[in-house]
Amino acid sequence: MSNGRIPEQVIDAVLKAHDIVEVVGRHVHLTKQGHYLKGLCPFHSEKTPSFTVTPEKQIYHCFGCGAGGNAIRFVSEVEGLSFGQALRKLADEAKLDIGLGPQQGQAETKEHADRAKLIEAHELAGKLYEYLLHNTEQGKEAKQYLHARGMTDKLIETFGIGYAPSRWDTLTNLLDKKQFPLPLVEQGGLISAKQDGSGYVDKFRDRVMFPIRDWKGNIIAFGGRAMGDVQPKYLNSPESMLFHKSRTLYNLHAARPQIRKSQELVLFEGYMDVIRAWEAGVHNGVATMGTALTPEHAEAIRRLAERVVVAYDGDNAGQSAAYKSIPLLENAGCHVKISMLPGGLDPDEYISAHGSERFVREVIETAVPSIKYKLFYYRKNYKLQEDGEKLRYIQQALRLIAGLTSPIEREHYVRELCSEFHLTFESAMQNLNEIRLQAEKKDRSGDNKDNSWNNVMNDGRLRVQPPSMVPAYQNAERQLLAVMMLDRDISGYVERQLGDGFNMEAHAALAAYLYAYYAQGFEPNASTFIGMLQDDKLESLASSLTLIDNRSGINDAVIDDYIRQIKKFPLLQTLERKREEIKQAERLGDIPKALQLGSEIISLEKQLKSS
């Protein structure tokens, strides 16, 4: 079942070492209510508690937003960590060794030791740079530079900013004196080997130093800012076992609490923008540190926030980068807005020129939806004073608006377009509907993207309806899966009688995981099983099923009835289709086809009666 993922035994051990009530209780005030504990959901805004924790099953579930899972999933969601990061955090808290076997364990132990040593070296470097900034003659110029950039001493201290001196070996000598292995430190990017092989020199010299931290707050890299005309202006640590530019977001460790609370993240390009925005009261800001946004960045952002405000520089390069960020963030499931900075200013410059209040009010709070930004962005490519160019822009704008899923949004932007270019609403909508019709014809020949359990278009959440609101076959599938999670024998019986015959794809996927779970010898345990799914949408489904209390009314006859209901549904679908086909054949006067369909319908009805 692991398919290269975290072994089931490791997940099981970590879950057994923690009580979900204690884990959830760190973030949610819970009150006892019968067999459950209830509280306000930390994943969406609500006034009436719909978030439940079941100690007996060691799972949580929210009836409001559908979030659910075990203790590992909760930590992952509430702290914005990957499943593996959350598992390691809980393992560390319980002082569990989660090595993966003798050979792997040895490699893991060495890598773990090297990582710990490198983090220690980076922390020491950070303290040295801070000391030199605040307490030496060498650091005075750097401090004056920071003050000139509008940074207070408190802000400098909050972000741990320091100064790397112009000498070639200040940090190297300190690390050598403290007996750090210099070849390892070189791999970590703090020092560089001399070309003649005679030793090492400092990587950063005569630069203002910005420590870059991981999600735990450990320093894993640095960004060095030159104070004069030295190139490059910004110098980041190289890639290392600690630092991966494509996955690291500056200030994420400090911004996470506000991001989780507001469900909104502000994305900047550089350190100074984040720092100045922090002073302006924007405490949910992070930066990609001058590198392009990657799918890994976008995925990390989506684990934390539903909404993203992109506040890149106002020049052409910044706005182009903002445009390119939209599909990455939206494909990850984020709702995206773009800030429009005037005059080619960056956020740091805007705050210096206009102040903190105006920055928040006129830049962050007035960010425009991604569709509106795209319309602004496209129009720069057209000479709208020329009729031909104007018509080309209108066509491109309509193609863009046609892609919106909400009819209300489509109408809103079409009306705006009509108002600006003096078009009739009817003609514009006719054109737009033709574009949508052509797109639908192309989609019909493509892949089916409607499977809710594997689709980011549903906000990353599996929409789980209560059994009473769904058709009989769906209710049967849910009831059957709920009891299968409690009983190995029933699961085995269903596998023999039904196999992968579940009609809902998410239900079929969950059943397949259950079959594999029991085949490996595991006992019924909802929390352990949910942890082994390692898929947030299936975990949400499974957690909702554990809340179905049907044990008292379950017997062999009920199980068989559920299976019959599930098997009948494809026959009912076929029967309904045949009845539509016979009506069409009769309208067209195709008697032979109508007779054939009538015979097929009689056969299907007999099958349904006997099933």
Side-chain angles (χ1 to χ4, degrees):
M1 239 178 93
S2 64
N3 295 322
R5 302 176 302 175
I6 299 166
E8 289 85 348
Q9 294 82 359
V10 172
I11 297 170
D12 192 35
V14 171
L15 289 171
K16 286 178 178 174
H18 290 275
D19 179 10
I20 195 168
V21 175
E22 186 272 329
V23 173
V24 173
R26 301 174 198 169
H27 302 270
V28 180
H29 176 67
L30 297 170
T31 56
K32 184 78 172 171
Q33 192 170 70
H35 296 296
Y36 305 98
L37 290 100
K38 296 196 78 172
L40 294 174
C41 181
F43 306 120
H44 79 288
S45 179
E46 62 176 9
K47 295 181 179 179
T48 304
S50 61
F51 182 86
T52 63
V53 176
T54 312
E56 178 190 359
K57 297 174 182 175
Q58 288 292 296
I59 58 102
Y60 70 93
H61 185 78
C62 177
F63 289 95
C65 68
N70 57 23
I72 301 171
R73 177 57 60 188
F74 180 83
V75 172
S76 168
E77 290 289 321
V78 83
E79 298 192 22
L81 310 178
S82 69
F83 185 88
Q85 289 173 333
L87 181 136
R88 281 188 283 275
K89 178 177 182 178
L90 289 173
D92 289 344
E93 288 178 6
K95 294 182 171 54
L96 290 176
D97 179 7
I98 56 172
L100 306 178
Q103 290 185 334
Q104 285 179 297
Q106 289 169 8
E108 182 72 20
T109 300
K110 183 180 184 309
E111 183 181 346
H112 186 271
D114 286 348
R115 288 175 64 87
K117 202 68 180 173
L118 273 181
I119 288 174
E120 189 181 344
H122 278 81
E123 293 288 346
L124 179 61
K127 289 176 183 175
L128 172 67
Y129 295 147
E130 280 194 86
Y131 177 82
L132 293 173
L133 178 73
H134 294 292
N135 301 286
T136 66
E137 285 294 319
Q138 299 164 293
K140 276 187 178 180
E141 184 184 348
K143 202 166 187 180
Q144 288 169 357
Y145 165 82
L146 290 169
H147 287 161
R149 293 291 300 267
M151 296 181 65
T152 63
D153 286 344
K154 181 180 178 183
L155 203 57
I156 293 168
E157 183 181 343
T158 297
F159 285 86
I161 301 169
Y163 170 70
S166 56
R167 275 188 56 181
W168 287 78
D169 56 4
T170 305
L171 178 60
T172 301
N173 288 338
L174 176 64
L175 292 168
D176 191 32
K177 182 180 177 182
K178 296 288 186 180
Q179 298 184 333
F180 282 88
L182 297 187
L184 175 65
V185 176
E186 182 200 7
Q187 291 176 30
L190 286 174
I191 59 177
S192 302
K194 291 182 179 178
Q195 290 185 351
D196 61 7
S198 62
Y200 298 90
V201 294
D202 293 0
K203 181 79 174 178
F204 298 95
R205 297 185 299 278
D206 194 25
R207 287 178 180 268
V208 173
M209 300 298 290
F210 298 86
I212 300 168
R213 300 177 185 273
D214 64 12
W215 59 273
K216 294 180 180 178
N218 299 315
I219 299 177
I220 57 171
F222 287 94
R225 172 51 157 101
M227 293 175 286
D229 296 328
V230 179
Q231 294 297 325
K233 184 168 67 172
Y234 280 101
L235 178 65
N236 283 335
S237 294
E239 296 268 326
S240 72
M241 67 171 67
L242 298 181
F243 179 49
H244 303 281
K245 293 178 185 178
S246 64
R247 300 201 296 265
T248 304
L249 291 164
Y250 179 72
N251 196 48
L252 183 61
H253 71 290
R256 182 188 291 117
Q258 183 59 32
I259 294 169
R260 293 303 306 184
K261 183 178 179 181
S262 66
Q263 276 300 296
E264 183 172 272
L265 177 147
V266 181
L267 184 63
F268 296 101
E269 283 189 272
Y271 322 111
M272 289 298 294
D273 297 331
V274 170
I275 295 168
R276 293 300 305 281
W278 181 279
E279 190 175 37
V282 181
H283 291 174
N284 55 341
V286 302
T288 53
M289 301 173 291
T291 59
L293 187 77
T294 66
E296 290 85 359
H297 286 140
E299 186 60 37
I301 287 168
R302 181 60 188 90
R303 286 198 296 267
L304 280 167
E306 293 179 359
R307 302 181 303 280
V308 179
V309 174
V310 179
Y312 283 0
D313 296 355
D315 59 14
N316 288 335
Q319 293 306 291
S320 177
Y323 172 77
K324 291 174 182 176
S325 75
I326 294 171
L328 286 171
L329 292 165
E330 289 185 337
N331 288 340
C334 300
H335 297 284
V336 184
K337 288 187 175 183
I338 311 292
S339 290
M340 309 282 283
L341 280 102
L345 297 177
D346 62 34
D348 175 28
E349 292 168 337
Y350 188 95
I351 292 169
S352 295
H354 303 292
S356 297
E357 288 185 14
R358 277 187 65 180
F359 175 72
V360 173
R361 184 177 68 250
E362 298 180 8
V363 175
I364 301 300
E365 292 180 353
T366 60
V368 299
S370 61
I371 178 71
K372 195 159 190 172
Y373 179 78
K374 287 179 182 178
L375 291 169
F376 286 136
Y377 187 81
Y378 287 158
R379 70 188 300 145
K380 293 186 299 182
N381 300 321
Y382 297 91
K383 298 176 182 177
L384 297 182
Q385 65 273 21
E386 298 178 10
D387 287 345
E389 290 279 286
K390 186 189 297 183
L391 289 172
R392 285 179 57 221
Y393 169 71
I394 290 169
Q395 279 297 113
Q396 182 161 18
L398 286 171
R399 283 195 295 272
L400 185 64
I401 297 167
L404 295 171
T405 55
S406 166
I408 295 174
E409 283 188 81
R410 291 199 298 270
E411 181 176 331
H412 171 77
Y413 289 109
V414 167
R415 288 193 184 280
E416 282 196 349
L417 199 66
C418 292
S419 175
E420 182 179 1
F421 293 101
H422 308 293
L423 309 171
T424 66
F425 178 72
E426 291 73 18
S427 64
M429 285 302 296
Q430 181 181 350
N431 201 324
L432 180 137
N433 288 330
E434 287 173 1
I435 293 169
R436 285 180 58 79
L437 187 61
Q438 290 173 3
E440 285 173 8
K441 286 178 180 177
K442 287 182 181 178
D443 285 346
R444 287 191 197 114
S445 62
D447 292 335
N448 174 22
K449 295 183 175 67
D450 293 329
N451 299 318
S452 64
W453 75 278
N454 193 25
N455 188 352
V456 297
M457 296 306 292
N458 59 1
D459 300 327
R461 294 279 183 214
L462 185 69
R463 301 307 184 196
V464 181
Q465 292 179 304
S468 59
M469 300 296 291
V470 298
Y473 79 93
Q474 287 189 36
N475 182 42
E477 290 183 0
R478 288 174 55 84
Q479 296 286 339
L480 201 54
L481 286 166
V483 75
M484 287 165 66
M485 289 173 65
L486 299 171
D487 194 307
R488 177 207 294 268
D489 293 335
I490 290 177
S491 180
Y493 179 76
V494 172
E495 183 176 10
R496 292 190 298 273
Q497 299 297 319
L498 187 63
D500 63 354
F502 288 82
N503 296 289
M504 300 291 291
E505 184 165 345
H507 294 168
L510 202 61
Y513 276 115
L514 269 169
Y515 300 150
Y517 174 77
Y518 287 129
Q520 293 179 64
F522 288 98
E523 293 300 320
N525 184 303
S527 180
T528 301
F529 171 66
I530 288 171
M532 292 174 188
L533 294 172
Q534 296 180 45
D535 179 297
D536 58 350
K537 291 172 260 313
L538 287 180
E539 286 179 23
S540 178
L541 170 62
S543 69
S544 72
L545 296 177
T546 64
L547 301 177
I548 297 174
D549 187 11
N550 59 6
R551 284 173 293 183
S552 58
I554 287 294
N555 54 45
D556 292 349
V558 172
I559 296 296
D560 287 336
D561 185 56
Y562 288 151
I563 293 172
R564 275 194 298 274
Q565 288 280 355
I566 295 165
K567 285 181 174 180
K568 280 170 65 173
F569 180 67
L571 291 173
L572 288 168
Q573 278 188 312
T574 305
L575 183 60
E576 185 178 349
R577 189 176 68 252
K578 296 287 184 186
R579 284 171 174 161
E580 286 298 317
E581 289 176 6
I582 198 171
K583 287 178 185 177
Q584 187 175 6
E586 288 171 347
R587 281 196 298 268
L588 295 172
D590 190 344
I591 304 304
K593 187 173 182 180
L595 290 172
Q596 180 190 341
L597 288 167
S599 176
E600 291 173 4
I601 288 171
I602 291 169
S603 177
L604 284 169
E605 288 174 338
K606 286 179 179 177
Q607 287 183 55
L608 283 168
K609 286 179 182 177
S610 61
S611 63

